Amino acid sequence: MRFRSRLFVDLARLESNFKHLKELCPNNEALFMVKADGYGHGAVPLVRFCYNELGVKEFGCATLGEALQLRNEIPDGEFEVYVFSDIQIYLAECAEQYLNRRILPVISNLEDLNFFLGCADFKHFPLVLKFNTGMNRLGLDLDQVEEVIKKIKQHGRKSIYHLMSHFSSASLSMEKSKRNAEQKERFAQLKSDFLTAGLGLERTSLANSGAIEQKAGLDETHIRPGLMMYGPSSLIKPERPNSFWKGELISRLETYIIRVFSVDRGTPIGYGATPVPDDGFIAVIALGYGDGFLTRFQGATIPYKGFEGKIVGRVNMDMAQVFFPKEAEKVLQSGEIFTVWDHDPERFLDFAEQTGTIPYELFCQLTSRVPRIYNFR
Ligand SMILES: *Cc1c(COP(=O)(O)O)cnc(C)c1O
């Protein structure tokens, strides 16, 4: 059990992020991406809140297991759940779950499409297709469009339930990046191919957070926000001034100071006996790599009560050492709460940059040893 090391998740901030999103794109429905356990925040409480309180009706997972968890733990939720990458529709035990629990597999290759269309059980099941317009990861190829259209028509379908594609470079400028422009163009052509062939498109989507932040990809019925809902911008630093996004982090990572002691310049501390850089104080905090506070965080700084703490020595499994200058003595006390990140997205993005990670990763790699505590003001 832990009391003071926790990820505090503020649902009121999730609500304000969502309201802000609706202001940015009032005409698009949100398919909220909650894969990897809601980017580490806990998918079930987030989905329950977004569905009950915010009216969000569509959610995106990466695996069937994630989707089943939502169905099992929120049994009366009449929302749509998509599975994006790890679909394994050809396995009988998976196909049965998609059908019986109404979970929508995103089909992104010809083999899966053939299986889906050829399986009588799926005859009236919504068809969701993802095309590769330049991401070059999953996705049906654009040179397969004709064949895809032919097969779909042969099986008597009149429309696609949801046609989608994914940007490879949405963290870059939507206006200046040639790749983004190409992808937009290819998707427009793709839609026109389907419509010209007489197939309806009930839903379409293209934009993830980076695109949405720049008001790109909003011509589609749907948007697929992930990271932005949790607070941070997805854009690379030089592009951030062009973002319309003003979200706040929905989480705050807190721990506390277990012990404070003074050190002299060169005092060796912890595993590896790393010498400290100067005279000052060491605060030992109750987070280590067993919590997802990684060894690569060594050297990064964390502001604390007007001072700058620096993570020194090797991060341990259960603890880490934070160095402070002598002047910080008056604010350092064992038992005090120590906040690694708070609701300020700039501070969080700065920590990601200092530690050579990305905001997505900082969220996702927190382990289950850190309790998630929810609050609605
Ligand atoms: C994860 C994901 C998203 C959301 O991406 P963000 O950058 O977090 O907004 C959107 N679409 C697909 C297909 C995804 O896999």
Side-chain angles (χ1 to χ4, degrees), residues 31-35 39 60-62 84-85 106 130 137 164-167 170 205-213 223-230 234 360:
L31 196 177
F32 178 23
M33 300 304 293
V34 294
K35 57 200 186 194
Y39 290 37
C61 296
F84 275 81
S85 47
V106 175
K130 185 158 96 175
R137 186 177 59 181
M164 51 178 75
S165 189
H166 194 53
F167 284 116
S205 67
L206 184 58
N208 55 346
S209 297
I212 299 165
E213 279 177 63
I223 49 175
R224 302 192 308 267
L227 190 70
M228 65 195 311
M229 290 284 275
Y230 305 93
S234 299
Y360 299 83

Side-chain angles (χ1 to χ4, degrees), residues 29-93:
E29 287 294 323
L31 196 177
F32 178 23
M33 300 304 293
V34 294
K35 57 200 186 194
D37 202 21
Y39 290 37
H41 293 80
V44 169
L46 262 49
V47 168
R48 198 177 273 135
F49 177 75
C50 287
Y51 174 68
N52 288 327
E53 308 296 328
L54 308 181
V56 180
K57 294 197 177 59
E58 293 164 78
F59 299 92
C61 296
T63 74
L64 179 56
E66 292 174 346
L68 281 172
Q69 189 195 19
L70 296 181
R71 284 285 185 247
N72 290 339
E73 297 196 32
I74 315 174
D76 47 1
E78 291 178 15
F79 47 77
E80 213 72 280
V81 185
Y82 292 75
V83 178
F84 275 81
S85 47
D86 183 8
I87 69 168
Q88 295 196 103
I89 193 176
Y90 48 82
L91 295 179
E93 58 265 48

Side-chain angles (χ1 to χ4, degrees), residues 103-117:
I103 294 169
L104 309 182
V106 175
I107 292 176
S108 56
N109 63 60
L110 268 186
E111 296 76 53
D112 288 348
L113 179 63
N114 286 334
F115 176 84
F116 183 94
L117 292 173

